[in-house]
Amino acid sequence: MPGPPPGLCWALLVLLAALGLGLIDLSVVAQEPFWADLQPRVALVERGGSLWLNCSTNCPRPERGGLETSLRRNGTQRGLRWLARQLVDIREPETQPVCFFRCARRTLQARGLIRTFQRPDRVELVPLPAWQPVGENFTLSCRVPGAGPRGSLTITLLRGTQELIHRSFSGEPPRARGAVLTATVLARREDHGANFSCHAELDLRPHGLGLFENSSAPRMLRTFALPPESPRLAVPRLLEVGSERPVSCALDGLFPVSEAQVYLALGDQRLSPDITLEGDALRATATATASAEQEGTRQLVCNMTLGGETRETRENVTVYSFSAPLLTVSESSVPEGKMVTVTCSAGAGALVTLDGVPAAVPGQPAQLELNATVNDDRRGFFCNATLEVDGEILSKNESTELRVLYAPRLDDSDCPRSWTWPEGPEQELRCEARGNPAPSVHCARPSGEAVLALGLLGPVTRALAGTYRCTATNVQGKVVKDVTLTVEYAPALDSVGCPERITWLEGTEASLTCVAHGVPPPNVSCVRSGEAEVIEGLLRVVREHAGTYRCEATNARGSAAKNVAITVECE
C-alpha cells in the first residue's frame, strides 16, 4: 500500500486534535472485530475551503468501499483498506459524510461531521436617517450577514468609542449563520455630527482557531430641532411699483441654526435675504421691489427648512401703481394781464385737487384759469392726488410757481419819499423797486451833480441833504420818484445871525433878534444876565436896556449859547 498523501497527514492531525477534545469515542471502533473509520471525524472548515477525508477499515479483504457526501470532490487516492478524498468549496453550514466498506457480507460505516465557519467580512450598519429630530428615538441596526457559527459571534454598537450595547449569541444552533443587532437610541443635540458604528467578533479560539473581528464603516448622525411655530414675517401691506421696502422673517429655537435654509419670495420673484444668526435664532432680511407685471394681490412667502422639515408663513401684499400728479402751467412766465391755465392731473382712479378744489370725478384733471396780475407773481399752485388702495387712502403732491412780468414799482414802503438822518454816523440808503425781472434803481440829483450810493454804508454830511430823483428800470418799463434827504445837526450862532455887539438908539423901537443855523430849525431865546425873563417882541429902547444878554439856540440835535452886549445911545 502506498504512503498516505499530504492531505491525509493533515486529516490525521485533525483526528488527533479531535481525540484530544473528546469529540471522537474510540471505544466504538474497538467494540467490533471489523470496523470502518473516518478521519477527521469532526472538522471545522472556513466556508469555501477544502478538506481531505481518510476513510479506512481493518477488514483484511474488503469487497468494496467508498465515501458518500454531497460535497464537491477534487481528487481521490485508494489503497486496499483505505480511501482518501479531497472535498473542495465546502459551503454548507453542516454536512455528514459517510465512510463505508463491505466486509464478510456486512456493511461497515463511519459517519463524520463537517461544519463551516465564515469570518465577519461584512459588517453593515443600516443607514441612519438623513436628519433625526432631537428628543425622538431612532433605530441603530447592525447586520453581519453569513458570519458564523452564530453561537461564536458577538456584536457591539458604538457611539464614537462609547459602547452603547453589546450582545453575544452563544447558545444559538450550530447551523445558524449571520446576525442582526438592533437598538433604540434617543437623539440628543450633542449627537449632532457623532459617528455611530458596529463591531463584530467571531471567536473560534475554543476550537483551535483564532479571533476574527471587523467593524462597519462609521455613519454620522445629524440631529435637528425645529419648533412647531411658523416664522414671524414682517412685510408691508402695500407695495408701490418701483419702490423698495424691507421685509424680514425670523424664527427662534433652531438647531443647528447654521444648517437652516431660508426661502423668501414675492410671488414668483425670489428675494436674496441677508441672514443673521444669534444663538438659536435666525433672522432673514431682504428688500422687496415690485414690477408693473406684479400689480395686484401677491403673496410674500417665507419658509425655513431644517432636517427635511419646513415651516412656512404667507402674507398678502398689494402691489399698486401710483405716479405723482402732473401739474402744468400754460406758461410759467407771462406778462401782466395775460390769461394763464393751470392743470392738475393724475393716473386712472386717482382724485386730484387743485388749490383745494377737487376734480369732478376720479381720473379727470382739475383746471384753473386766471388773468395774471402783479399779485400773482411767485404765486404757488398746489396739486394733490389721492388713491384708495386696499382700503387705505394714499396721497401724493406736486407744486409749481407762476412768474408774472411787470414794470417797476417804487412803493413808499420800499422807497420812502423822505429820509431824515443825523449828521455824522454812517447810514445806508435803501430804495428798492418791485418788478419782474428785478429792476435796477438809480438815485441822483435832478441836476446830475450828485449820486446816492444805494445799499452802502457811508458817513452822513450836510452836503448830502437835498432832493434826489430815483429811477427804477427793467425790460417791462421804468418808474421815477423824487425823494428828499434831510440831514439834522445841532444849532450854531454865528456873528452874522447873532452879532456879539448891538447898538440901539434911545427912544426908538427895537427887538433882540438872534438867528441860529441848525436842522431842525432851532428855538432861540435871550435873557438879561442875572434875570430869568426872556426878552421878546418890540421894545421901546430906554437907557436901562443896555447890558449883556445871553442867547441860547436849541433843537433835537443839541444847543448853542452866546453873550450879546447891547449899547444904548442917548440923543
Side-chain angles (χ1 to χ4, degrees), residues 1-5 8 12 33-39 53-67 76-85 99-104 108 110:
M1 184 177 70
L8 182 57
L12 291 174
F34 299 112
W35 45 258
D37 185 28
L38 180 63
Q39 295 298 328
L53 289 179
N54 184 40
C55 178
S56 61
T57 180
N58 64 351
C59 180
R61 290 185 177 276
E63 297 176 15
R64 60 186 177 88
L67 183 64
T76 304
Q77 296 180 4
R78 288 180 178 274
L80 177 61
R81 292 182 296 171
W82 64 274
L83 164 63
R85 182 168 291 163
C99 169
F100 68 93
F101 287 95
R102 185 74 176 170
C103 179
L108 307 177

Side-chain angles (χ1 to χ4, degrees), residues 107-296:
T107 300
L108 307 177
Q109 287 187 348
R111 189 178 299 272
L113 177 61
I114 301 176
R115 289 176 177 162
T116 59
F117 73 90
Q118 183 171 337
R119 303 168 188 252
D121 294 328
R122 291 172 55 198
V123 181
E124 300 172 352
L125 186 65
V126 174
L128 301 177
W131 286 94
Q132 175 62 34
V134 171
E136 294 186 13
N137 290 327
F138 67 98
T139 299
L140 282 177
S141 183
C142 178
R143 298 190 308 115
V144 188
R150 187 185 300 161
S152 300
L153 196 61
T154 301
I155 301 178
T156 305
L157 290 173
L158 302 165
R159 177 196 290 123
T161 59
Q162 178 190 1
E163 184 178 298
L164 296 178
I165 187 170
H166 176 88
R167 180 180 174 186
S168 171
F169 293 87
S170 61
E172 291 283 333
R175 298 179 63 89
R177 295 292 185 268
V180 176
L181 178 60
T182 300
T184 300
V185 182
L186 182 66
R188 308 170 302 169
R189 285 197 176 199
E190 50 267 37
D191 290 333
H192 180 68
N195 284 323
F196 290 80
S197 61
C198 174
H199 183 74
E201 294 181 351
L202 182 65
D203 190 0
L204 299 180
R205 289 175 293 186
H207 304 290
L209 299 175
L211 174 66
F212 304 98
E213 52 187 329
N214 194 12
S215 295
S216 69
R219 294 191 183 274
M220 188 178 71
L221 181 67
R222 295 195 295 175
T223 61
F224 75 99
L226 183 62
E229 298 82 13
S230 297
R232 302 183 300 278
L233 183 57
V235 301
R237 194 167 64 86
L238 306 177
L239 181 60
E240 185 176 0
V241 169
S243 67
E244 294 184 347
R245 296 290 300 277
V247 299
S248 68
C249 182
L251 187 60
D252 302 334
L254 297 168
F255 173 83
V257 65
S258 60
E259 297 282 348
Q261 302 295 315
V262 181
Y263 174 82
L264 266 177
L266 175 62
D268 56 1
Q269 174 194 357
R270 184 165 184 173
L271 307 181
S272 299
D274 293 324
I275 307 299
T276 302
L277 307 179
E278 185 174 348
D280 61 359
L282 184 150
R283 178 180 175 85
T285 56
T287 300
T289 304
S291 61
E293 293 77 14
Q294 294 175 301
E295 193 167 346

Side-chain angles (χ1 to χ4, degrees), residues 408 410 417 442 468-473 478-483:
L410 287 170
R417 292 183 179 275
H442 176 79
Y468 294 84
R469 178 156 292 172
C470 292
T471 304
T473 306
K478 72 175 182 178
V479 64
V480 176
K481 184 178 185 179
D482 288 338
V483 299

Side-chain angles (χ1 to χ4, degrees), residues 374 377 406-416 430-443 454 470-474 477-481:
V374 173
D377 185 40
Y406 60 94
R409 285 166 171 72
L410 287 170
D411 299 330
D412 289 343
S413 58
D414 300 317
C415 186
R430 289 178 61 255
C431 182
E432 297 177 351
R434 293 175 57 212
N436 190 17
S440 62
V441 181
H442 176 79
C443 293
L454 299 177
C470 292
T471 304
T473 306
N474 69 7
K478 72 175 182 178
V479 64
V480 176
K481 184 178 185 179

